[in-house]
Amino acid sequence: MDDVPMPEPLRRAVHQFVTEATLNLQEVLRYTEPDQAHDWKRMTLYRATNAADTMNTVAMLLAAYCQKTHMDRETLTSYLQTRDDRSRAAGPQDADRARLARILDDAPDVQLPEDVGEISETLFAEAVLHGLRAKVCNDVDSLDSFLPPPRAALARQVADVFEGMQPATA
């Protein structure tokens, strides 16, 4: 490995794409809420695939840079994890249907922790996505309209962390 940092223009582009994907992922979470019953199938699939496509763009942008800097093809292929690649065009496979069956049959009710010290990584990630989106859209009050009170409170705490912060300028 070399110790050359990522070029600044590439770093900015990666940050922009990851932010775009994060906003799409937050919308996936938003459309899972009960008040979105009328549109959840369409919108969760749209936003999830938008996020996946955006992250694929990031991977290919980084791969192109690695090629430009003469990374060995075998190393690049390994880093891209191409053996794990699946096309969405093929649709759900047996493994996907089996996973769904396990989720639907064995899905326990999620209990929210009372103490912040007990927050799971998943709940924390969800709060970060909701809080960041609410802050970016200047709509922190909307959190109460679709999240259960404990989740809304945690997302509000995340949004408060961003209070007064300004985006970095290029």
Side-chain angles (χ1 to χ4, degrees):
M1 294 284 160
D2 57 44
D3 290 338
V4 177
M6 183 182 287
E8 186 59 25
L10 181 58
R11 188 188 74 76
R12 284 193 308 267
V14 168
H15 280 243
Q16 177 67 34
F17 283 123
V18 170
T19 299
E20 180 182 326
T22 300
L23 293 174
N24 279 310
L25 292 172
Q26 188 281 329
E27 285 194 40
V28 169
L29 293 176
R30 173 68 181 99
Y31 281 103
T32 66
E33 298 303 326
D35 68 327
Q36 297 296 317
H38 65 285
D39 234 4
W40 75 266
K41 292 174 185 174
R42 178 175 65 92
M43 294 309 296
T44 55
L45 286 169
Y46 280 166
R47 294 304 174 250
T49 55
N50 288 349
D53 290 343
T54 300
M55 291 312 299
N56 190 59
T57 299
V58 170
M60 292 300 103
L61 185 63
L62 294 169
Y65 178 78
C66 290
Q67 280 182 332
K68 176 181 164 63
T69 58
H70 309 291
M71 177 180 278
D72 175 75
R73 181 171 175 76
E74 187 174 307
T75 301
L76 180 57
T77 300
S78 170
Y79 288 176
L80 285 172
Q81 304 175 64
T82 55
R83 68 185 169 280
D84 300 332
D85 193 26
R86 281 190 31 208
S87 170
R88 288 192 309 261
Q93 303 299 302
D94 289 341
D96 303 308
R97 288 185 281 277
R99 181 179 299 117
L100 175 63
R102 285 191 306 274
I103 289 170
L104 294 179
D105 290 342
D106 301 326
D109 289 335
V110 176
Q111 297 297 318
L112 296 176
E114 298 298 321
D115 178 45
V116 172
E118 298 176 26
I119 294 173
S120 72
E121 289 179 8
T122 302
L123 181 58
F124 180 71
E126 184 178 338
V128 168
L129 288 171
H130 284 302
L132 180 59
R133 173 66 177 213
K135 188 64 185 166
V136 166
C137 295
N138 198 25
D139 194 18
V140 176
D141 292 335
S142 72
L143 295 169
D144 295 320
S145 69
F146 64 91
L147 290 175
R151 289 185 188 187
L154 188 56
R156 190 180 309 291
Q157 287 177 321
V158 170
D160 289 346
V161 168
F162 294 106
E163 188 65 39
M165 295 177 78
Q166 296 298 318
T169 55

